[in-house]
Amino acid sequence: MVKEIERYGIPIVHMATITTISQSVGANRIVPTVAIPYPVGNPTLGAADEYALRKGLVERALKALQTPVDGPTQF
């Protein structure tokens, strides 16, 4: 689905724990995440630290959206 959306000119960021799968499905912008059960969070952190973690991942994804790429690229 990632490739089809990008084919219409809409950039996509694939946030995933297992980045090799992202590459195999053809995602161009890949942001590695934390862990399989909690891809964009960590329940062992306190509220402030988990917020900072999530904010950092979203900021990285937004930067990836603005970056031109020619193929699978991890950010």
Side-chain angles (χ1 to χ4, degrees), residues 57-71:
L57 287 169
V58 170
E59 287 173 347
R60 191 181 314 169
L62 290 171
K63 183 176 180 179
L65 279 174
Q66 299 171 20
T67 306
V69 296
D70 291 326

Side-chain angles (χ1 to χ4, degrees), residues 22-53:
S22 300
Q23 291 176 338
S24 70
V25 299
N28 285 327
R29 293 169 184 85
I30 304 165
V31 172
T33 57
V34 180
I36 291 173
Y38 309 103
V40 290
N42 184 344
T44 63
L45 297 175
D49 291 334
E50 186 168 20
Y51 178 82
L53 172 69

